[in-house]
């Protein structure tokens, strides 16, 4: 079932997952505060990954580096000169947009348009073929009849009838031929713009119309002049006021700049980190020496990153302050080994999205970058994309970044970043594979992917509906809700309290003594609680309780001690 982002946002607010930041002051563009259930989802994602990568694997260690780093870090990494978006201003309403984003949106509209045309043509062609098939069948049977009468020598007898038929067939044959020609034309057009050709068709059109030599639609690495030419030629309108008059694109660095120092105006310019990765690179050598790690090994960190995005939006998808979870996995400086490790990380990432997060496989797409889409230092990159309600968006990037980053820091800091292989005696700057996930985006994705509205038949045989968040049990913010059937029954409440006390030592639980079990179930379904435990009259007699499973709504009577304590 398809749900709009508004539905998810409304549920997030109503049930306490996430809320606009600084709300009492009118908010701050797209800043979101995580509320209790959102915080729990975040913690669960972190814990699951920590358990797998740090606890269960021997080859990955973790780090918590500073948000504020020496500004030279960002010069070495290339962020000071290169981490920018092309900014354009509408001349009429001063609305600010990203040129590449405007172009991307326009192309996606173009694709939709051609898809509709292609589908219409497909229908027309199919109908024509059907008509032609029928016609051919009719003509064949008439010809058989003519042949039959000719053969049995009754031609004179049926002459008039057959003459008329022959004229009719002649006429039909002409129509048939015309339609055949038409169908052939449609098929040729269709062939050109069938779904898998639409990209190529648009690329050729852009090359011809705007004279921009592109080979794939995911790249907007063309010069600012070319982007401007595209916006002008296609008369792309301002999304706010529909004007087409805008400034030429200019570089807008996405790093937040601030000052370190106690006297205003005299401090040093520093940046809030735009990614956690550089904290790993600058610590590489020290970590290597103190932990005595051996290649291949990885360093993992989770933390806040900041980007002054021109167009933040889609709830928590593109925000200015967000969490990232990045691993830099160091391997030998050998491309064959690097590419093998890259493929292994791709396969592992897929498994983790599905098994650890419970994300539906059919919503995920692993999109390898085309050659001309790759950064100059990257040997290979793959984006993990998810089918969001507004279209596909990136969840994670997996990049084979070679030795670019370490070499940059070696050059700028003057510190040796080489690894001494104790077995072969080789000295080299390692290559790196970087699986980089957005944690804030992962939280949003979990919320969207889990959301469901279900019609079912209730215990009285009536049709009922419920909203249910089908979170993976790893991710669900609350694992058990414990509820006494009668709020005022002291015995029931005492048993329920005891179960809560024991279970909550291990799991996030909620104690719900509202006394309205139906309402409580609906609330817990919407939060995504996998199990509800109800203490009732029978519990007082024989100590058993009912446990209800969220997805199947099946209830079982069990002894509390049989639920893992
Ligand atoms: N070190 C590589 C790097 O930072 P990136 O593709 O720019 O690569 C990695 O970012 C991930 O961080 C993205 O796949 C996305 O999930 C998340 N991310 C990036 N910008 C974001 C933003 N403005 N808001 C939320 N998440 C963001």
């Amino acid at each position: 079932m398809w749900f709009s982002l508004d539905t998810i946002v409304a549920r997030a607010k109503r049930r306490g997952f996430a809320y606009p930041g600084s709300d009492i002051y009118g908010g701050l563009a797209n800043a979101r505060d995580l509320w209790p259930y959102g915080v729990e989802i975040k913690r669960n994602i972190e814990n699951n990954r920590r358990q797998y990568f740090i606890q269960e694997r021997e080859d990955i260690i973790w780090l918590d580096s500073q948000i504020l780093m020496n500004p030279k870090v960002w010069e070495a990494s290339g962020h000071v000169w290169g981490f920018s978006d092309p900014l354009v201003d509408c001349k009429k309403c001063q609305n600010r947009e990203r040129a590449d984003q405007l172009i991307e949106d326009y192309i996606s509209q173009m694709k939709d348009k051609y898809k509709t045309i292609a589908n219409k043509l497909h229908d027309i062609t199919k109908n024509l073929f059907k008509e032609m098939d029928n016609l051919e069948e009719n003509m064949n049977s008439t010809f058989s009849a003519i042949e039959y009468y000719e053969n049995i020598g009754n031609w004179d007898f049926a002459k008039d009838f057959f003459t008329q038929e022959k004229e009719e067939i002649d006429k039909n044959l002409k129509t048939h031929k015309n339609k055949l020609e038409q169908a052939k034309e449609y098929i040729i057009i269709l062939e050109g713009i069938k779904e898998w050709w639409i990209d190529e068709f648009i690329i050729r059109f852009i090359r011809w119309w705007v004279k921009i030599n592109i080979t794939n639609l995911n790249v907007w690495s063309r010069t600012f002049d070319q982007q401007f030419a595209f916006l002008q030629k296609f008369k792309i309108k301002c999304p706010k006021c529909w004007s087409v008059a805008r400034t030429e694109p200019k570089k807008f660095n996405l790093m937040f700049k601030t000052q370190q120092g106690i006297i205003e105006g005299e401090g040093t310019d520093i940046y809030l980190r735009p990614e956690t990765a550089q904290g790993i690179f600058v610590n590489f050598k020290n970590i290597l020496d103190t932990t005595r790690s051996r290649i291949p090994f990885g360093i993992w960190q989770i933390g806040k990153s900041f980007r002054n995005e021109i167009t933040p939006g889609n709830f928590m998808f593109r925000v200015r302050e967000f969490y990232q979870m990045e691993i830099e996995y160091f391997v030998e400086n050998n491309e064959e080994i690097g590419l093998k490790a890259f493929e292994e990380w791709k396969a592992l990432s897929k498994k983790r999205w599905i098994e650890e997060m419970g994300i539906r496989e059919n919503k995920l797409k692993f999109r390898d970058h085309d050659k001309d889409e790759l950064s100059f230092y990257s040997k290979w990159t793959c984006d993990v994309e998810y089918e969001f309600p507004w279209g596909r968006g990136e969840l994670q990037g997996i990049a084979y970044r070679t030795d670019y980053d370490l070499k940059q820091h070696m050059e700028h800091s003057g510190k040796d970043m080489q690894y001494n292989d104790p077995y072969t005696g080789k000295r080299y700057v390692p290559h790196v594979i970087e699986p980089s996930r957005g944690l804030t985006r992962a939280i949003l994705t979990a919320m969207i992917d889990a959301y469901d509205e279900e019609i079912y038949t209730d215990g009285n045989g009536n049709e009922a509906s419920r909203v249910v968040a089908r979170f993976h049990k790893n991710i669900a913010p609350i694992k058990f809700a414990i509820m006494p059937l009668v709020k005022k029954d002291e015995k029931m409440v005492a048993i329920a309290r005891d179960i809560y006390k024991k279970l909550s030592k291990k799991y996030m639980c909620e104690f719900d003594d509202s006394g309205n079990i139906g309402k409580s179930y609906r609330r817990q379904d919407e939060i995504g609680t996998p199990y509800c435990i109800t203490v009732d009259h029978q519990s007082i007699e024989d100590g058993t309780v009912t446990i209800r499973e969220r997805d199947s709504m099946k209830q079982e009577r069990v002894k509390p001690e049989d639920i893992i304590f």
Side-chain angles (χ1 to χ4, degrees):
M1 217 190 278
W2 186 89
F3 304 105
S4 71
L5 183 63
D6 289 345
T7 311
I8 307 295
V9 175
R11 197 269 310 248
K13 280 187 190 167
R14 192 177 63 250
R15 288 300 181 200
F17 286 84
Y19 208 74
S22 324
D23 192 47
I24 60 165
Y25 290 102
L28 178 73
N30 273 82
R32 306 285 167 201
D33 290 342
L34 287 180
W35 276 18
Y37 298 132
V39 180
E40 267 311 303
I41 295 177
K42 172 178 166 281
R43 199 187 61 102
N44 288 339
I45 297 174
E46 281 174 357
N47 283 354
N48 285 313
R49 290 183 78 70
R50 190 199 65 83
Q51 175 169 340
Y52 176 73
F53 285 118
I54 306 299
Q55 200 168 314
E56 293 176 21
R57 282 179 70 143
E58 290 177 38
D59 59 342
I60 298 183
I61 44 183
W62 63 349
L63 164 78
D64 190 344
S65 74
Q66 295 278 286
I67 287 173
L68 301 177
M69 294 163 82
N70 189 313
K72 286 183 189 155
V73 170
W74 307 111
E75 278 165 29
S77 66
H79 282 80
V80 171
W81 58 267
F83 194 57
S84 50
D85 279 341
L87 174 86
V88 283
D89 286 327
C90 169
K91 283 188 176 164
K92 193 172 163 207
C93 73
Q94 276 71 50
N95 177 39
R96 303 203 124 171
E97 295 286 339
R98 269 170 61 181
D100 58 335
Q101 196 85 54
L102 285 170
I103 295 172
E104 225 171 74
D105 292 349
Y106 186 78
I107 287 177
S108 117
Q109 283 165 19
M110 243 206 255
K111 276 189 193 175
D112 286 349
K113 204 161 105 188
Y114 288 121
K115 253 188 221 166
T116 318
I117 295 175
N119 285 339
K120 267 194 191 146
L121 284 174
H122 193 240
D123 287 350
I124 293 172
T125 320
K126 256 177 35 192
N127 286 341
L128 273 173
F129 271 122
K130 226 161 127 193
E131 274 182 40
M132 286 191 297
D133 249 16
N134 291 343
L135 212 58
E136 212 161 338
E137 214 174 276
N138 286 345
M139 286 190 297
N140 280 340
S141 49
T142 317
F143 272 123
S144 314
I146 293 171
E147 271 173 18
Y148 172 77
Y149 283 113
E150 276 178 346
N151 284 343
I152 60 169
N154 273 344
W155 179 247
D156 281 346
F157 164 72
K159 206 172 177 181
D160 287 349
F161 170 72
F162 288 130
T163 311
Q164 268 176 24
E165 276 299 298
K166 273 193 162 173
E167 277 169 12
E168 189 64 20
I169 289 171
D170 258 5
K171 219 167 78 194
N172 281 347
L173 262 174
K174 268 184 202 145
T175 326
H176 188 260
K177 270 189 184 155
N178 283 344
K179 289 196 171 175
L180 197 73
E181 284 305 309
Q182 265 180 36
K184 267 189 200 155
E185 272 174 35
Y186 282 130
I187 290 163
I188 292 165
I189 299 169
L190 249 186
E191 286 292 310
I193 55 174
K194 263 189 301 193
E195 200 155 334
W196 51 95
W197 275 106
I198 285 175
D199 278 8
E200 189 55 33
F201 178 75
I202 295 176
I203 284 171
R204 279 163 198 243
F205 186 53
I206 293 170
R207 274 204 217 128
W208 169 76
W209 182 240
V210 207
K211 311 271 179 288
I212 294 179
N213 192 16
I214 55 162
T215 53
N216 102 57
L217 291 178
N218 295 312
V219 198
W220 286 104
S221 57
R222 279 148 297 286
T223 63
F224 283 8
D225 283 352
Q226 288 179 326
Q227 287 181 354
F228 192 55
F230 190 103
L231 293 171
Q232 299 285 92
K233 200 91 181 177
F234 285 101
K235 295 194 175 24
I236 296 177
K237 295 189 177 78
C238 164
K240 291 232 164 100
C241 73
W242 301 105
S243 159
V244 290
R246 58 169 58 85
T247 58
E248 289 190 23
K250 52 179 183 272
K251 251 186 173 185
F252 177 79
N253 196 297
L254 298 185
M255 283 199 293
F256 276 103
K257 208 188 237 182
T258 183
Q259 286 222 325
Q260 181 164 273
I262 49 165
I263 304 171
E264 209 179 308
E266 286 183 15
T268 321
D269 280 347
I270 54 166
Y271 303 96
L272 301 189
R273 69 177 176 203
E275 61 171 26
T276 56
Q278 296 304 322
I280 298 178
F281 291 123
V282 298
N283 278 287
F284 165 76
K285 190 64 177 166
N286 290 339
I287 286 187
L288 192 65
D289 292 343
T290 42
T291 60
R292 297 167 63 225
S293 300
R294 296 276 166 262
I295 286 214
F297 82 102
I299 306 176
W300 180 61
Q301 101 158 309
I302 290 187
K304 280 247 166 114
S305 293
F306 302 82
R307 295 184 188 177
N308 198 3
E309 298 282 0
I310 299 171
T311 48
N314 288 330
F315 196 36
M316 283 151 56
F317 181 78
R318 181 166 287 110
V319 280
R320 294 192 170 116
E321 178 183 340
F322 55 96
Y323 288 100
Q324 281 187 312
M325 309 186 277
E326 297 195 284
I327 294 174
E328 303 301 329
Y329 196 77
F330 300 98
V331 297
E332 217 179 303
N333 62 342
N334 171 317
E335 273 183 29
E336 211 176 298
I337 293 177
L339 282 172
K340 188 165 169 277
F342 171 77
E343 288 303 331
E344 283 166 5
W345 274 101
K346 251 171 75 178
L348 179 68
S349 295
K350 185 167 188 181
K351 199 166 141 67
R352 305 294 301 164
W353 277 111
I354 297 163
E355 289 176 15
E356 168 197 306
M357 294 272 304
I359 301 300
R360 282 171 286 171
E361 190 173 352
N362 64 349
K363 292 274 180 177
L364 288 173
K365 183 168 183 203
F366 280 65
R367 189 180 68 76
D368 283 320
H369 283 206
D370 286 331
K371 278 265 175 282
D372 55 356
E373 203 182 342
L374 293 173
S375 318
F376 65 93
Y377 49 76
S378 176
K379 277 275 166 244
W380 215 245
T381 298
C382 172
D383 283 347
V384 183
E385 296 177 340
Y386 181 83
E387 192 72 51
F388 287 101
W390 61 88
R392 274 220 307 268
E394 182 193 316
L395 288 183
Q396 177 183 10
I398 307 165
Y400 176 13
R401 297 173 68 102
T402 64
D403 53 11
Y404 172 76
D405 305 87
L406 287 181
K407 276 200 169 150
Q408 284 294 106
H409 288 301
M410 190 154 127
E411 196 185 308
H412 282 74
S413 68
K415 297 280 184 306
D416 186 8
M417 293 282 175
Q418 293 184 93
Y419 171 75
N420 287 321
D421 191 317
Y423 305 112
T424 62
K426 255 174 68 179
R427 247 171 97 71
Y428 60 88
V429 177
H431 281 196
V432 73
I433 314 296
E434 180 191 73
S436 168
R437 274 185 195 203
L439 173 53
T440 307
R441 275 189 198 172
I443 300 167
L444 173 67
T445 311
M447 282 164 50
I448 291 175
D449 199 69
Y451 188 88
D452 195 10
E453 286 171 17
E454 187 185 40
I455 309 282
Y456 66 99
T457 311
D458 69 12
N460 302 322
N462 298 324
E463 198 174 80
S465 69
R466 65 172 183 154
V467 170
V468 54
R470 301 188 193 279
F471 286 121
H472 189 293
K473 292 183 180 79
N474 285 339
I475 302 298
I478 302 295
K479 312 292 187 211
F480 293 95
I482 299 110
M483 18 181 121
L485 183 67
V486 183
K487 194 175 169 177
K488 288 191 178 143
D489 187 315
E490 283 176 16
K491 282 187 186 161
M492 274 185 213
V493 173
I495 297 171
R497 278 266 171 231
D498 186 52
I499 296 173
Y500 175 81
K501 206 170 153 197
K502 285 178 179 152
L503 271 180
S504 60
K505 286 198 190 306
K506 269 196 178 166
Y507 306 101
M508 269 314 277
C509 299
E510 257 185 21
F511 188 81
D512 183 345
D513 62 356
S514 61
N516 184 337
I517 295 295
K519 235 179 176 178
S520 297
Y521 280 162
R522 276 198 296 282
R523 182 171 175 277
Q524 294 300 334
D525 283 345
E526 209 176 328
I527 296 166
T529 308
Y531 300 107
C532 288
I533 297 170
T534 308
V535 177
D536 55 16
H537 297 286
Q538 196 177 327
S539 312
I540 301 171
E541 286 161 24
D542 64 10
T544 61
V545 294
T546 63
I547 182 160
R548 171 189 181 267
E549 202 270 330
R550 177 195 66 203
D551 294 340
S552 61
M553 292 189 279
K554 278 203 182 121
Q555 298 192 23
E556 249 186 87
R557 272 214 97 80
V558 293
K559 286 208 173 291
E561 51 272 28
D562 292 339
I563 306 164
I564 331 142
F565 280 114

